[in-house]
Amino acid sequence: MPPHPHRPPELAWQVFRGSEAIRRGLLSRHHLRGASWIRLRQDVYADARLDRDHALACRAALLRMPPGAAIAGPSAAYLHGVEHAADFTDDVHVLLPATVRADSQPGVRVHHAPMSSTRSGLLVPVGATAPARTSPPADTSPPASSNSPAGMNPHTGTRSPVVAPSAANHPPGAPGRTRSPDPADLRTRPGPPGPATSPSSAASNPFAPSSLGAAMILAGPPPRTEPVACAWETAVWADPVKAVSIIDGLLRTGSVNRSALASEAARNACRPGGRRAAWVFGLTDGLAQSPPESHLRVRLVFAGLPRPVAQHPVRVSTGLLLHPDLAWPEFRVAVEYDGQWHSDADRMHLDRRRLNQLVEAGWLVLHVTGRRLHKEFPALVREIRAALVARGWRP
């Protein structure tokens, strides 16, 4: 029989610094090389039963950052419930206070909050004395750092990151690997064994000392910027097509609304990236049902076609109200995105009946697959352009 896994209760379901675990006598170097643990970064390890998702990557990144760091941008959007915003192998976006300097590392993009006239959260007063530079151990070759800020208050010029529950904790004894739980789960399910940290101390300092000592285990869920701030950061830092799909996800889940985005764009209009963020916000639409639909909508606009309407209501002869994925109501042209689930026989039957009803109502419907979206996009644009022209559009 294989040997029983060696997992001290203090480290079960946790992400931790290996050197500290060795120094405190919880593990040996031999133990760290065993199957019970996975190495995430230099000197950062995790219980191998944890799911390899972006939340795990965020927790690992924070253990290599100075105190005061917060997850931001697309990484924060993932922690707010937009699962397609990032995966395990994507870079983790980290926001630091303006006066705390740290280098980016492979897999971690460091940004800095702006200076401000008042003190709040990650922001510091203009003219404040900068502390000594703090950098992670010099055992990596960091790429160039990206210096982009978070959202600000219109009166004080500040915005504080908020902590929302999304830790990858799991009750001990669960079989196999586990995905990081949903934020709502943390209010009801028991946490892993080990030292408890109050929400207030975790919110004020994610590296708060515990009975294990400071900075060996990240206490509490990863701190992150609030949804509207991470939407602004995503608009400024990410590729526009991806940024729109992520912000569409935040809109779809109700984490933000269009009014909040407009206010955020107005507050930050004079900051670097302000015009870009306002432009990206203008391309968003929370009615998209999937990331590919967002990608398709934005890429069609970039290709010079008129902007389609997502989920436009069409009443058919049976009285039903149908909603094509994308539509140009003036020309009665619609585009339906067919994902993998459309190959199901029952789904195919319903789709074809739906298509017949739209055609009967006078609509011209084109279908788009993932393969065409990614590999045959120019031909797809020509087909949609021809359909629009045939229905009266004049470029």
Side-chain angles (χ1 to χ4, degrees):
M1 294 180 62
H4 185 72
H6 178 70
R7 291 191 180 97
E10 299 91 336
L11 301 180
W13 307 104
Q14 297 288 0
V15 180
F16 59 93
R17 295 296 293 261
S19 59
E20 277 295 302
I22 292 172
R23 187 179 70 82
R24 296 162 195 261
L26 296 173
L27 295 172
S28 67
R29 293 187 183 277
H30 173 73
H31 288 139
L32 286 176
R33 289 191 291 267
S36 298
W37 315 105
I38 57 169
R39 181 180 180 274
L40 299 175
R41 309 190 66 78
Q42 176 66 31
D43 194 36
V44 178
Y45 295 80
D47 190 322
R49 296 170 293 179
L50 290 170
D51 220 28
R52 276 63 153 177
D53 59 13
H54 197 65
L56 188 64
C58 290
R59 296 171 71 191
L62 284 177
L63 276 177
R64 299 277 299 183
M65 287 288 111
I71 301 300
S75 297
Y78 178 91
L79 297 179
H80 285 301
V82 183
E83 293 193 357
H84 67 269
D87 60 29
F88 180 61
T89 60
D90 286 332
D91 287 352
V92 175
H93 291 262
V94 175
L95 187 69
L96 289 176
T99 56
V100 176
R101 314 311 299 176
D103 294 328
S104 291
Q105 309 165 23
V108 179
R109 295 178 59 185
V110 173
H111 311 268
H112 288 89
M115 302 294 286
S116 70
S117 58
T118 59
R119 190 177 191 88
S120 176
L122 289 176
L123 308 186
V124 297
V126 174
T129 302
R133 182 180 181 86
T134 305
S135 298
D139 45 47
T140 60
S141 300
S145 174
S146 172
N147 298 322
S148 297
M152 299 169 65
N153 181 281
H155 304 295
T156 64
T158 64
R159 177 177 298 282
S160 304
V162 299
V163 177
S166 184
N169 294 338
H170 190 284
R177 289 168 54 199
T178 177
R179 191 189 186 285
S180 301
D182 292 332
D185 293 343
L186 295 174
R187 292 190 291 269
T188 57
R189 65 192 298 177
T197 303
S198 68
S200 59
S201 73
S204 60
N205 181 3
F207 299 93
S210 68
S211 62
L212 291 177
M216 185 176 84
I217 293 177
L218 182 65
R224 81 252 7 214
T225 53
E226 60 188 15
V228 72
C230 86
W232 193 91
E233 295 154 0
T234 298
V236 176
W237 301 342
D239 168 80
V241 175
K242 182 175 181 180
V244 169
S245 73
I246 293 172
I247 300 169
D248 275 356
L250 290 169
L251 288 165
R252 186 167 58 250
T253 60
S255 299
V256 298
N257 55 47
R258 299 199 64 81
S259 175
L261 292 180
S263 298
E264 190 74 3
R267 279 196 293 268
N268 298 293
C270 296
R271 289 176 54 196
R275 292 179 63 184
R276 176 189 173 96
W279 170 65
V280 171
F281 285 174
L283 293 169
T284 60
D285 187 334
L287 295 176
Q289 298 297 299
S290 67
E293 291 177 26
S294 296
H295 295 168
L296 176 60
R297 185 185 75 247
V298 176
R299 291 184 66 186
L300 290 176
V301 172
F302 288 173
L305 298 182
R307 179 168 178 166
V309 178
Q311 303 299 314
H312 175 72
V314 178
R315 191 169 297 279
V316 296
S317 59
T318 60
L320 289 176
L321 202 59
L322 304 181
H323 298 81
D325 295 333
L326 300 175
W328 291 267
E330 180 182 355
F331 309 108
R332 292 203 169 193
V333 174
V335 169
E336 293 278 70
Y337 180 80
D338 294 339
Q340 291 182 348
W341 59 278
H342 286 264
S343 61
D344 175 79
D346 291 337
R347 183 71 255 176
M348 180 71 73
H349 169 73
L350 294 174
D351 281 348
R352 291 299 172 260
R353 185 174 68 180
R354 185 169 178 266
L355 171 61
N356 291 341
Q357 291 173 327
L358 286 170
V359 170
E360 183 185 9
W363 283 73
L364 176 59
V365 183
L366 294 89
H367 287 259
V368 178
T369 62
R371 178 175 178 177
R372 298 212 70 198
L373 174 60
H374 296 293
K375 297 184 178 181
E376 302 175 12
F377 189 72
L380 176 62
V381 171
R382 288 195 296 270
E383 292 173 12
I384 297 175
R385 181 186 297 274
L388 289 169
V389 169
R391 289 298 183 98
W393 177 57
R394 295 296 175 259

